[in-house]
Amino acid sequence: MIVVEALAKQFAQGHGRRRRVVPAVQAVSFVAADGCITGLLGPNGAGKTTTLRMIAGLLRPDAGRITVAGIDVALQPQAVQARLGVLSDARGLYPRLTARENIVYYGRLHGLPRARAEARATLLAGMLDMAPLLDRRTEGFSQGERMKTALARALVHDPSHIVLDEPTNGLDVLATRGLREALRRLRDDAGKCIIFSSHIMQEVERLCDQVVVVAGGRSVAEGTVPALLARTGLRDFEACFVQLAFGNPTVGNPGGLVD
Amino acid sequence: MRGAWQVFTKELRDALRDRRTLLTVLLSSMAVGPLLLVALSMLVADIEASAEARDVYAVGLDAAPTLANYIARQAWAVHPAPPDHEQALVARRFEHPVLVVPPDFERDLAAGITPELLLLSAGANQRAEGSAGSVAALLQGFNQEQATLRLVLRGVPPAALQAVRIQRRDLGDSRARAAQFMRLLPFFVLMAVLYGALHAALDTTAGERERGSLEPLLMTPQPRWALALGKWGAVAAVGMGVAVLACGGFLPGQWLLRSEALSAMFQFGLRELALFLAVLLPLAALLAALLMAVAIRCRSFKEAQASTTVVVLAASLLPLLTSFNGGGEQPWHLWLPALAQITLMQRVLEGGALGPADVLLPVLVAALGTALCLASVVRQLRTAAWR
């Protein structure tokens, strides 16, 4: 379980007179349960990536508290990182290494013995339908192939908690379906706690058990998709999201029709 | 430490797979020794040949049999100067000074009138200028002989004209003289090490940031110091490998020496190789850490290349301090990285004494510098991924 309580983070930009403070996250709170896919839904710049980076221990929050499996990220970041599999916004690979070497390297950094890391790489390649790619250098991989390798790399140590930052960005329909299927299996078969950030409504609607709507650095609503629809009284989830995030279901829709 | 080892092996494997860069670095570092030695030996052989050459190019010497006789007795060969020698000298097409003898030379000499000889060369024509001194000395000898003969005819002892006698003695031993020519070698070895480590340092820091693989790396449970240590180890290993190859290249390079004198003077055996490496390896470690500390602040490989130019420039300019400084080797030279290494390598080539304290001081400075740069890399890693 991942518990996020009243998280806040601001960044300073520029120096001297030009210095200004930009609040990225102001009050984000939610609970992501085990065996459940929690969607972090928000427009661009809502603070999703900053929130996920704080969960992953990459950024220190200015205020608030995060626990992963009961462990405080601020106090024991390395213990948390050992339990987390993060597919971050930056998913660069080493182009001169093969996909297998990329995956095994991360397995070794997570403390797995070589044989176990190799076995996990083979297992994940089967699960993500990337076995033919495994022994090819990642230089020249397509967007989908790169994403699969990065996802396998994030899951190599069999983490109990998985954090995915907009994982379907740049993927085609088939690759997106494949990823959705893989995430469902991780939830259903292994009972993983999965946080999935996105700004694509259909994706969240189809995959997530629980949705947290984030806007302007704040978590503005939390619940299942039917519960959120019921709360706004709308039938279209896109309109429901716009209503929750911006307070008006017609924002960005000059026609004014929401359903 | 296990994490640092994992990072080290991966970074080394990654660097070794960059075949094109590696090949360029290795070939240039291996070739630098032999190529420099060949180039220097050709230069020295040329200087030796021109110093030994006893040729005088003259115009109108047929009209001066006394002078021609003297020149022949000194075992110098007389050659006619080309008709356009003045233009050729200025244009550096002709590289010998030209002696112009006036038509009335013999008559004036016999009459006791001082004839004027003209020795032509051009200031920008270095080879002609270099030889002009020896031709002038030859003519001075003729002058001396004629004066002595005239004094003897008048019953004056020649010693009356010689108040003092000048004798020159070169106190530098053969290795020190060779080191004059070899002054460039340590500099090129140092540059080879610097450029060898440069690409690996940039790829493992700014390159990692640019391709977006630093953020996932920092989300592993490895402490930042382990990541920095592993990366530095790989970059330092590449730099040290280049140092070994560049210095090792001098051993076979000696066989290519074309100048016999230089070959006899340039002694680079296993002892010299060991001393060179003792001096260079700590510097390779420092340069690796310094380049990484500069590059980790940059967002892209290109930006890092521009920023590390400062390091390359400093490493190139520091050794020049010895050239600007007329006071020779100073104790503080050993405190400055790069300058210390150049100074000590120079001393090895000159066959000078190199005590443990001389080697230890630059090693300690390099170790301290490495530690500081690595601490900076660790600190920067905290923010580099997302900034």
Side-chain angles (χ1 to χ4, degrees), chain B residues 357-383:
Chain B
D358 295 328
V359 180
L360 206 61
L361 180 60
V363 168
L364 287 177
V365 172
L368 184 68
T370 305
L372 288 174
C373 290
L374 278 180
S376 165
V377 173
V378 173
R379 205 164 60 88
Q380 283 295 318
L381 270 180
R382 223 178 283 272
T383 52

Short mmCIF file of all heavy atoms in Angstrom, two decimals, chain B residues 357-383:
data_model
loop_
_atom_site.label_atom_id
_atom_site.label_comp_id
_atom_site.label_asym_id
_atom_site.label_seq_id
_atom_site.Cartn_x
_atom_site.Cartn_y
_atom_site.Cartn_z
N ALA B 357 59.72 11.30 -2.39
CA ALA B 357 58.96 12.50 -1.99
C ALA B 357 58.48 13.27 -3.21
O ALA B 357 57.38 13.82 -3.21
CB ALA B 357 59.84 13.40 -1.12
N ASP B 358 59.32 13.28 -4.26
CA ASP B 358 58.94 13.99 -5.49
C ASP B 358 57.69 13.38 -6.12
O ASP B 358 56.85 14.09 -6.67
CB ASP B 358 60.08 13.95 -6.51
CG ASP B 358 61.30 14.69 -6.03
OD1 ASP B 358 61.13 15.67 -5.30
OD2 ASP B 358 62.42 14.27 -6.38
N VAL B 359 57.60 12.06 -6.06
CA VAL B 359 56.46 11.36 -6.67
C VAL B 359 55.25 11.45 -5.73
O VAL B 359 54.11 11.60 -6.17
CB VAL B 359 56.80 9.89 -6.97
CG1 VAL B 359 55.62 9.17 -7.60
CG2 VAL B 359 58.01 9.82 -7.90
N LEU B 360 55.53 11.36 -4.43
CA LEU B 360 54.46 11.29 -3.44
C LEU B 360 53.63 12.57 -3.37
O LEU B 360 52.40 12.51 -3.25
CB LEU B 360 55.06 10.98 -2.06
CG LEU B 360 54.11 10.28 -1.08
CD1 LEU B 360 53.68 8.94 -1.65
CD2 LEU B 360 54.77 10.11 0.27
N LEU B 361 54.29 13.70 -3.49
CA LEU B 361 53.57 14.98 -3.38
C LEU B 361 52.48 15.13 -4.46
O LEU B 361 51.31 15.35 -4.13
CB LEU B 361 54.56 16.15 -3.42
CG LEU B 361 53.94 17.55 -3.32
CD1 LEU B 361 53.18 17.70 -2.01
CD2 LEU B 361 54.99 18.62 -3.46
N PRO B 362 52.83 14.96 -5.75
CA PRO B 362 51.76 15.03 -6.77
C PRO B 362 50.70 13.95 -6.59
O PRO B 362 49.53 14.18 -6.90
CB PRO B 362 52.50 14.82 -8.09
CG PRO B 362 53.91 15.18 -7.81
CD PRO B 362 54.15 14.81 -6.38
N VAL B 363 51.10 12.78 -6.07
CA VAL B 363 50.11 11.71 -5.84
C VAL B 363 49.10 12.16 -4.78
O VAL B 363 47.89 11.98 -4.94
CB VAL B 363 50.82 10.40 -5.41
CG1 VAL B 363 49.81 9.38 -4.90
CG2 VAL B 363 51.60 9.82 -6.57
N LEU B 364 49.62 12.78 -3.71
CA LEU B 364 48.72 13.24 -2.64
C LEU B 364 47.80 14.35 -3.14
O LEU B 364 46.61 14.37 -2.83
CB LEU B 364 49.54 13.74 -1.44
CG LEU B 364 50.23 12.64 -0.63
CD1 LEU B 364 51.07 13.25 0.48
CD2 LEU B 364 49.19 11.69 -0.03
N VAL B 365 48.37 15.26 -3.92
CA VAL B 365 47.55 16.35 -4.48
C VAL B 365 46.46 15.76 -5.37
O VAL B 365 45.28 16.15 -5.29
CB VAL B 365 48.43 17.35 -5.27
CG1 VAL B 365 47.57 18.36 -6.01
CG2 VAL B 365 49.39 18.08 -4.35
N ALA B 366 46.84 14.78 -6.20
CA ALA B 366 45.87 14.15 -7.11
C ALA B 366 44.79 13.41 -6.31
O ALA B 366 43.61 13.47 -6.66
CB ALA B 366 46.58 13.19 -8.06
N ALA B 367 45.20 12.73 -5.23
CA ALA B 367 44.24 11.97 -4.42
C ALA B 367 43.23 12.93 -3.76
O ALA B 367 42.02 12.67 -3.76
CB ALA B 367 44.97 11.16 -3.36
N LEU B 368 43.75 14.04 -3.25
CA LEU B 368 42.87 15.03 -2.61
C LEU B 368 41.91 15.63 -3.65
O LEU B 368 40.70 15.74 -3.39
CB LEU B 368 43.72 16.14 -1.98
CG LEU B 368 42.96 17.20 -1.20
CD1 LEU B 368 42.35 16.60 0.06
CD2 LEU B 368 43.86 18.38 -0.84
N GLY B 369 42.45 15.99 -4.81
CA GLY B 369 41.63 16.56 -5.88
C GLY B 369 40.56 15.57 -6.33
O GLY B 369 39.40 15.94 -6.55
N THR B 370 40.94 14.30 -6.45
CA THR B 370 39.99 13.26 -6.87
C THR B 370 38.84 13.15 -5.86
O THR B 370 37.67 13.10 -6.25
CB THR B 370 40.71 11.90 -6.99
OG1 THR B 370 41.81 12.06 -7.89
CG2 THR B 370 39.80 10.81 -7.52
N ALA B 371 39.22 13.15 -4.57
CA ALA B 371 38.19 13.02 -3.52
C ALA B 371 37.22 14.20 -3.57
O ALA B 371 35.99 14.02 -3.48
CB ALA B 371 38.87 12.93 -2.16
N LEU B 372 37.76 15.41 -3.75
CA LEU B 372 36.90 16.60 -3.80
C LEU B 372 35.98 16.56 -5.01
O LEU B 372 34.78 16.87 -4.91
CB LEU B 372 37.77 17.87 -3.84
CG LEU B 372 38.50 18.22 -2.55
CD1 LEU B 372 39.43 19.41 -2.76
CD2 LEU B 372 37.49 18.54 -1.45
N CYS B 373 36.54 16.18 -6.16
CA CYS B 373 35.73 16.14 -7.39
C CYS B 373 34.64 15.06 -7.27
O CYS B 373 33.50 15.28 -7.69
CB CYS B 373 36.61 15.86 -8.61
SG CYS B 373 37.68 17.23 -9.01
N LEU B 374 35.00 13.92 -6.68
CA LEU B 374 34.00 12.85 -6.53
C LEU B 374 32.89 13.29 -5.57
O LEU B 374 31.71 12.98 -5.80
CB LEU B 374 34.67 11.57 -6.02
CG LEU B 374 35.33 10.72 -7.10
CD1 LEU B 374 35.96 9.48 -6.49
CD2 LEU B 374 34.32 10.30 -8.17
N ALA B 375 33.26 14.01 -4.52
CA ALA B 375 32.25 14.51 -3.58
C ALA B 375 31.29 15.45 -4.31
O ALA B 375 30.07 15.41 -4.09
CB ALA B 375 32.93 15.25 -2.42
N SER B 376 31.85 16.25 -5.22
CA SER B 376 31.01 17.16 -6.01
C SER B 376 30.08 16.37 -6.94
O SER B 376 28.91 16.73 -7.09
CB SER B 376 31.92 18.10 -6.81
OG SER B 376 31.21 18.76 -7.80
N VAL B 377 30.60 15.30 -7.53
CA VAL B 377 29.76 14.46 -8.43
C VAL B 377 28.60 13.86 -7.64
O VAL B 377 27.45 13.89 -8.07
CB VAL B 377 30.61 13.35 -9.09
CG1 VAL B 377 29.72 12.39 -9.88
CG2 VAL B 377 31.65 13.94 -10.03
N VAL B 378 28.91 13.34 -6.43
CA VAL B 378 27.88 12.72 -5.60
C VAL B 378 26.79 13.75 -5.26
O VAL B 378 25.59 13.48 -5.34
CB VAL B 378 28.50 12.14 -4.30
CG1 VAL B 378 27.41 11.65 -3.35
CG2 VAL B 378 29.44 11.00 -4.64
N ARG B 379 27.24 14.96 -4.92
CA ARG B 379 26.29 16.02 -4.56
C ARG B 379 25.42 16.41 -5.77
O ARG B 379 24.22 16.59 -5.65
CB ARG B 379 27.06 17.24 -4.05
CG ARG B 379 26.27 18.13 -3.12
CD ARG B 379 27.22 19.07 -2.39
NE ARG B 379 27.96 19.91 -3.31
CZ ARG B 379 27.53 21.10 -3.76
NH1 ARG B 379 26.38 21.56 -3.34
NH2 ARG B 379 28.25 21.81 -4.57
N GLN B 380 26.04 16.50 -6.91
CA GLN B 380 25.31 16.88 -8.12
C GLN B 380 24.33 15.80 -8.58
O GLN B 380 23.29 16.10 -9.14
CB GLN B 380 26.30 17.18 -9.26
CG GLN B 380 26.99 18.52 -9.14
CD GLN B 380 26.01 19.67 -9.27
OE1 GLN B 380 25.12 19.66 -10.10
NE2 GLN B 380 26.16 20.67 -8.42
N LEU B 381 24.70 14.54 -8.33
CA LEU B 381 23.83 13.42 -8.76
C LEU B 381 22.44 13.55 -8.14
O LEU B 381 21.45 13.13 -8.71
CB LEU B 381 24.44 12.08 -8.32
CG LEU B 381 25.39 11.40 -9.31
CD1 LEU B 381 25.89 10.10 -8.72
CD2 LEU B 381 24.73 11.13 -10.65
N ARG B 382 22.39 14.14 -6.95
CA ARG B 382 21.12 14.29 -6.24
C ARG B 382 20.10 15.07 -7.08
O ARG B 382 18.93 14.77 -7.08
CB ARG B 382 21.39 15.05 -4.92
CG ARG B 382 20.67 14.49 -3.74
CD ARG B 382 21.05 15.30 -2.52
NE ARG B 382 22.37 14.96 -2.01
CZ ARG B 382 22.60 14.00 -1.14
NH1 ARG B 382 21.62 13.26 -0.69
NH2 ARG B 382 23.81 13.75 -0.71
N THR B 383 20.60 16.08 -7.78
CA THR B 383 19.67 16.95 -8.51
C THR B 383 19.76 16.80 -10.02
O THR B 383 18.87 17.25 -10.74
CB THR B 383 19.94 18.42 -8.16
OG1 THR B 383 21.32 18.67 -8.37
CG2 THR B 383 19.58 18.74 -6.73
#
